Amino acid sequence: MKNIVVVGSQWGDEGKGKIVDWLSEQADVVIRFQGGHNAGHTLVIEGVTYKLRLLPSGIVRKNKISIIGNGVVVDPWALLKEIEEIKSKGVDVNINNFIISESANLILPFHREMDEIREDAAGKEKIGTTRRGIGPAYEDKVGRRSIRVMDLRSEKSLDQRLESALIHHNAIRKGLGNKIFDKEQLKSDLLKIAPKILRFSQPVWFKIDQFKKQKKKILFEGAQGILLDVDHGTYPYVTSSNTVASSAATGSGCGPNSINFVLGITKAYTTRVGEGPFPTELTNHIGDLLGSRGKEFGTVTSRKRRCGWFDGVLVRQTIKISGIDGIALTKLDVLDELDEIKMCVEYEIDGKKTNYLPAAAEDQLKIKPIYTTFPGWKSSTKGIKNIDDLPENAKKYIFAIEDFIGAKISSISTSPERNDTILVQNPFEI
C-alpha cells in the first residue's frame, strides 16, 4: 500500500487536476483536504472538459471513492450545483462513491458577502480573493462560531450555531454600514437542503482507518499552491488555509505516517492569479504568449492569470517546506514557440544577492530576478509520451530544472489530455 499527497509547488493552477485524475486510476480513494470552491481543477477526458471546484478529481472515474475532508470549507449550494453539473455529463455521484466529513465547516451567504465587503473596502490594498467566502469561513472556524455539516442534523443546534455566528457578523456589518443578516430565512434555506448534504456525511477519520486496514491506496488532493499557504506563502497575499503536504493529515483525520510520497505539481513556467509579489512576472508580449498558449484563465473566476518565467528559487524552497519527493512537470508544450527560455536561479534585493524568498512582502516586492537562459526548441512537444522523443533543447531545460530544484521529475505533461504524459517514475511504484 502506498498513499500519495499531491500539492502545487507554485501559486496554484499548475495542472493538479489532470495529474490527480491520471493517478486516481491507480488509487482506490481520493481525498480533498483543504480549501474551498475557490480552487478549480480542469480535466479533459476523451474530449469532454470537466471543471471541478469542490468535488475531488477521482469522482470522474468509476469504482473510486471521493472524499471531502474536514479541512475543506464547503458552500453547500455550490456543492449541490456541482454535483448536478457533473451528473449531466454522465458521472454518477452517490453515497457509495462520495463522502463529506461531518466535521467540514460550511460557507454561508454572509461569508460571501463579508468577503466582498472587505475586498471593496480595501481598495488598492485588496488581497485579490475569489470572493467566494473562503477566508471569512475559515475565520469562523478558528473563532469557534462556525456551522459544520453535523449541525444540519438538528434545527435546535443549527439555530444556536447561527445565532453565535451572526452576533459576530452583524456587528461588523452594522459597523460598515451594511444591513444585518436575517437568521430565520437562512435557517429555513439550510434545513431545506440539509437532507441532500447529510446523505453523504460520515466520520472521515474512521473511514480512512478502515481503508488503511483494507490496504486501499489513498490519494490526497491539495488545492491552490504552497506559495498561497497561510504560513509559508507570500503573506498577506495568500489563501486562508495550509496548502502544504502535511495539511493532508490534519485536513482528513489521519497521522503523518499515512503519507508515503509527496508529489509536487510544477508548471514549466510560472503563473499567479490575484494580487501579490511575483518576481519573474512578464508584462510583455512573451507573458501574453504564455497566457494565450497556456489558456491561463482561472477555472473558478475566469480571471486572467499573470505569467512569467520559471522561478527555480521559489520551487526549490517549496520543495523543502512541503517535503516534496518528486515533481510532475506540466505544460511543457506551452514553451514550444519561444526562441529562448529563462529560469530564475537567484534574487537580488537592494543590491544584495539571496537564494531564498524573504518572508516580508515589502522585501518580496523589491526582488530583481537573476536568470539563466536556455535556447528554445522551436518544435512541437504536444502529445509526446516518451522522453527520448523530446527535442534535445527541451531535455536540457528539463534536466536543468531537476538539477537546480533538487527533486526528481517523475512525469512530464505535454498537453491537457489525460494520456499525453511522459512517465519517468510512477509514484505508486517507487
Side-chain angles (χ1 to χ4, degrees):
M1 180 187 69
K2 174 158 282 194
N3 301 326
I4 296 173
V5 177
V6 173
V7 290
S9 71
Q10 295 155 309
W11 276 292
D13 309 309
E14 301 94 348
K16 290 185 293 296
K18 171 188 169 175
I19 303 300
V20 171
D21 169 60
W22 176 68
L23 287 170
S24 67
E25 183 177 19
Q26 303 165 70
D28 302 300
V29 182
V30 183
I31 304 176
R32 265 285 303 273
F33 59 84
Q34 52 77 219
H37 63 309
N38 57 338
H41 289 168
T42 301
L43 311 178
V44 181
I45 302 168
E46 296 177 355
V48 180
T49 299
Y50 302 91
K51 294 191 175 183
L52 306 177
R53 294 168 289 278
L54 273 169
L55 291 171
S57 299
I59 200 71
V60 300
R61 288 193 178 272
K62 293 181 180 179
N63 303 317
K64 310 294 179 183
I65 299 171
S66 293
I67 297 176
I68 291 177
N70 56 274
V72 180
V73 285
V74 179
D75 181 322
W77 292 279
L79 175 60
L80 293 173
K81 181 181 178 182
E82 189 174 333
I83 289 173
E84 290 306 310
E85 285 176 359
I86 202 163
K87 279 185 173 181
S88 71
K89 295 188 176 185
V91 177
D92 191 23
V93 182
N94 57 62
I95 60 173
N96 295 314
N97 70 352
F98 179 54
I99 299 170
I100 308 172
S101 170
E102 61 182 3
S103 302
N105 293 259
L106 299 181
I107 300 172
L108 300 176
F110 55 76
H111 292 131
R112 294 196 298 271
E113 291 182 15
M114 185 60 69
D115 215 350
E116 293 178 351
I117 290 167
R118 292 200 301 216
E119 278 286 274
D120 291 339
K124 292 182 179 179
E125 301 301 317
K126 66 181 180 179
I127 300 298
T129 77
T130 55
R131 297 172 180 249
R132 295 293 194 271
I134 280 77
Y138 273 117
E139 288 177 40
D140 278 2
K141 175 181 178 177
V142 176
R144 293 165 292 189
R145 54 181 172 266
S146 185
I147 289 83
R148 300 193 287 175
V149 169
M150 65 182 71
D151 294 319
L152 298 177
R153 297 173 184 162
S154 162
E155 181 176 352
K156 180 180 178 181
S157 174
L158 181 61
D159 187 84
Q160 291 173 343
R161 300 305 303 155
L162 284 172
E163 184 72 28
S164 174
L166 287 174
I167 286 174
H168 172 81
H169 279 271
N170 280 334
I172 298 174
R173 292 169 70 96
K174 191 173 181 180
L176 292 173
N178 291 269
K179 293 192 300 183
I180 64 171
F181 203 93
D182 179 28
K183 181 188 73 173
E184 293 304 320
Q185 183 59 54
L186 176 56
K187 183 174 74 171
S188 174
D189 292 342
L190 283 169
L191 289 172
K192 285 179 183 177
I193 64 169
K196 296 179 181 179
I197 298 294
L198 290 172
R199 65 190 294 258
F200 299 114
S201 173
Q202 293 192 50
V204 166
W205 66 268
F206 184 77
K207 295 299 296 182
I208 291 175
D209 186 59
Q210 286 183 329
F211 296 146
K212 288 167 65 178
K213 290 175 180 176
Q214 295 165 4
K215 305 296 183 184
K216 291 186 180 295
K217 294 178 181 177
I218 303 174
L219 187 61
F220 297 90
E221 176 183 10
Q224 290 112 0
I226 296 167
L227 290 167
L228 292 176
D229 185 277
V230 69
D231 288 309
H232 301 288
T234 48
Y235 190 93
Y237 302 97
V238 293
T239 193
S240 299
S241 61
N242 288 111
T243 61
V244 292
S246 54
S247 184
T250 309
S252 59
C254 62
N257 61 346
S258 299
I259 300 168
N260 307 113
F261 190 92
V262 179
L263 182 66
I265 314 303
T266 306
K267 196 176 287 186
Y269 50 101
T270 311
T271 62
R272 176 166 198 169
V273 173
E275 309 300 320
F278 186 169
T280 64
E281 183 174 12
L282 295 169
T283 56
N284 56 17
H285 70 284
I286 297 177
D288 292 338
L289 178 66
L290 293 174
S292 61
R293 282 185 56 81
K295 296 181 173 58
E296 297 295 353
F297 296 90
T299 301
V300 173
T301 63
S302 297
R303 289 187 295 178
K304 185 179 179 180
R305 296 173 186 146
R306 301 153 65 189
C307 297
W309 295 122
F310 183 84
D311 193 331
V313 177
L314 284 183
V315 174
R316 184 175 60 187
Q317 186 164 325
T318 60
I319 284 171
K320 296 179 187 300
I321 289 169
S322 210
I324 290 172
D325 297 299
I327 290 292
L329 192 69
T330 64
K331 293 201 169 185
L332 180 71
D333 55 302
V334 174
L335 305 178
D336 287 349
E337 294 182 3
L338 298 177
D339 293 317
E340 62 179 26
I341 297 161
K342 296 183 179 182
M343 177 173 71
C344 178
V345 295
E346 200 171 18
Y347 294 152
E348 182 180 304
I349 304 173
D350 293 332
K352 296 180 180 180
K353 291 183 178 180
T354 182
N355 59 2
Y356 67 94
L357 182 76
E362 61 179 347
D363 292 331
Q364 295 168 1
L365 291 166
K366 295 178 184 177
I367 289 173
K368 292 181 180 179
I370 299 171
Y371 293 111
T372 292
T373 302
F374 300 86
W377 42 92
K378 301 291 288 182
S379 61
S380 177
T381 60
K382 186 174 182 180
I384 289 177
K385 298 178 178 64
N386 190 312
I387 195 166
D388 293 331
D389 295 332
L390 288 173
E392 283 303 311
N393 284 346
K395 286 189 276 189
K396 287 177 183 177
Y397 179 63
I398 291 166
F399 296 146
I401 288 176
E402 185 178 65
D403 183 62
F404 185 82
I405 63 178
K408 294 289 292 183
I409 291 177
S410 62
S411 66
I412 303 161
S413 176
T414 55
S415 97
E417 288 289 341
R418 174 190 280 173
N419 295 322
D420 288 345
T421 303
I422 299 169
L423 179 62
V424 182
Q425 292 179 315
N426 187 335
F428 273 116
E429 296 176 357
I430 296 173

